[in-house]
Amino acid sequence: MSRDKLLLVVLGLPGGVALLLFHYVPLLGNVIAFQDYQPYLGLTESEWVGWSNFSFLWDGNPEFRNALWNTVVLTVIQTVLIFPVPLVLALVLNSLAGERLKRLLQSILYLPHFLSWVIVVALFQQMLGNAGMLNTILVQNDLPIVQIIGVPELFKALITSQAIWKDAGWGTIIFLAAISRVDQEQYEAAAVDGANARQRMLHITLPALKGLIILLLILRLGSSLSVGFEQILLQQGPVGLQASEVLDTWVYNNGILGGNWGTSAAAGLIKGLVGVLLVVGANKLAHVFGERGVYEK
């Protein structure tokens, strides 16, 4: 092994060990989905119950159906609305002429990513809550207050806007890196031929990013059913479970709080299998359209 390859192995070893310990070894715990698991008995002593823990799939469990519906709706909303935002921001930043202005805006857009969900939720409550800054200004101007926080009908829009504000800027990094690798001579040649900025973006930048966009979309589908556990759990109280319960919080509320370990593990296992099927299916579709996807044939 050459020195360069050895260095790469050494650099990648801590991440590989962490991946093995915290992602692959815990997969063995999926056996709980087929047991009447009791923590004090452990995996080896808990009673084997077969497919009984999966009964929520066919017995019409209303809480599970509600959580599944909310998850699907949020998955569609976040895939359609959140996924394109980093791309649009990257294109806007790339169009700016001044490097100093571009770097300043990048730093501002990156900052929310480093805030925890506890802080993000608190900031939105301080801004949009019933006694928040927005309603304070409205009251001072003799205008009616606007109720946003704690309204079940607005909950999905609220958490979607929070996710965009927090992570859209961070998502621009990979798109800006890909844009920087586009051959500048193509832009110069297009400009000489009379193409304006919009035409250069449509016919040079976006085609250069097509493979990356498809790759990121496929990867997003793999975790599409995870729509923000911590973010939603922090805000469930005011809006209630009917509007806010998703699969991850249903697993938490039933497994950790309710003690139904086997049922919750079964739901988590199904969610993981659906994610795998979505990735494989989307990757096959990418191959049909001539793209590489996550892996080649």
Side-chain angles (χ1 to χ4, degrees):
M1 182 179 293
S2 66
R3 181 180 178 181
D4 292 341
K5 291 183 179 180
L6 181 60
L7 179 61
L8 289 175
V9 171
V10 173
L11 290 174
L13 188 60
V17 172
L19 187 68
L20 179 66
L21 291 179
F22 296 104
H23 289 270
Y24 286 98
V25 172
L27 290 177
L28 300 175
N30 282 323
V31 69
I32 294 174
F34 304 96
Q35 294 179 327
D36 180 17
Y37 178 74
Q38 302 297 328
Y40 56 85
L41 294 178
L43 294 177
T44 57
E45 300 296 331
S46 295
E47 181 184 358
W48 184 267
V49 294
W51 296 96
S52 298
N53 289 326
F54 295 84
S55 60
F56 58 86
L57 291 175
W58 53 77
D59 65 4
N61 186 307
E63 295 178 354
F64 174 77
R65 287 191 298 174
N66 176 60
L68 179 61
W69 171 250
N70 288 335
T71 301
V72 171
V73 171
L74 283 172
T75 296
V76 174
I77 292 174
Q78 296 190 5
T79 302
V80 173
L81 296 181
I82 296 180
F83 180 77
V85 173
L87 174 60
V88 173
L89 284 177
L91 293 174
V92 172
L93 289 173
N94 186 63
S95 66
L96 298 177
E99 285 296 323
R100 294 182 63 180
L101 176 61
K102 186 186 298 186
R103 291 176 182 175
L104 175 63
L105 291 176
Q106 283 178 299
S107 300
I108 294 173
L109 291 172
Y110 294 165
L111 181 60
H113 173 77
F114 298 99
L115 302 177
S116 69
W117 275 117
V118 175
I119 296 176
V120 171
V121 170
L123 285 174
F124 270 75
Q125 289 175 343
Q126 292 296 320
M127 294 290 291
L128 304 176
N130 292 338
M133 187 178 72
L134 174 61
N135 282 325
T136 299
I137 294 174
L138 293 176
V139 170
Q140 291 173 350
N141 290 274
D142 297 324
L143 296 173
I145 65 172
V146 178
Q147 291 187 339
I148 299 176
I149 303 296
V151 179
E153 293 78 12
L154 298 177
F155 182 71
K156 294 179 177 62
L158 175 65
I159 63 173
T160 300
S161 62
Q162 290 173 345
I164 291 175
W165 182 80
K166 185 177 187 295
D167 289 324
W170 184 255
T172 63
I173 293 178
I174 190 169
F175 288 114
L176 288 173
I179 291 173
S180 67
R181 295 175 60 87
V182 178
D183 188 358
Q184 296 300 310
E185 292 182 357
Q186 296 184 41
Y187 293 109
E188 296 170 1
V192 170
D193 290 338
N196 56 33
R198 177 176 172 276
Q199 291 171 329
R200 293 196 294 271
M201 179 190 70
L202 291 176
H203 299 289
I204 298 177
T205 307
L206 289 178
L209 297 176
K210 184 175 70 171
L212 175 63
I213 293 172
I214 292 175
L215 172 63
L216 294 178
L217 181 59
I218 293 173
L219 293 176
R220 182 175 182 83
L221 287 175
S223 58
S224 60
L225 296 181
S226 299
V227 288
F229 167 73
E230 183 180 358
Q231 175 194 12
I232 294 175
L233 188 66
L234 289 168
Q235 303 175 86
Q236 275 194 329
V239 297
L241 296 181
Q242 184 66 29
S244 64
E245 188 83 302
V246 294
L247 289 179
D248 284 345
T249 57
W250 185 81
V251 167
Y252 172 77
N253 289 326
N254 279 271
I256 304 300
L257 301 184
N260 299 317
W261 308 94
T263 301
S264 299
L269 179 60
I270 291 173
K271 192 188 78 168
L273 292 175
V274 170
V276 171
L277 292 175
L278 286 174
V279 169
V280 173
N283 201 73
K284 295 278 188 185
L285 187 61
H287 292 163
V288 171
F289 288 97
E291 296 295 331
R292 179 177 180 179
V294 178
Y295 55 87
E296 294 180 316
K297 294 181 180 179

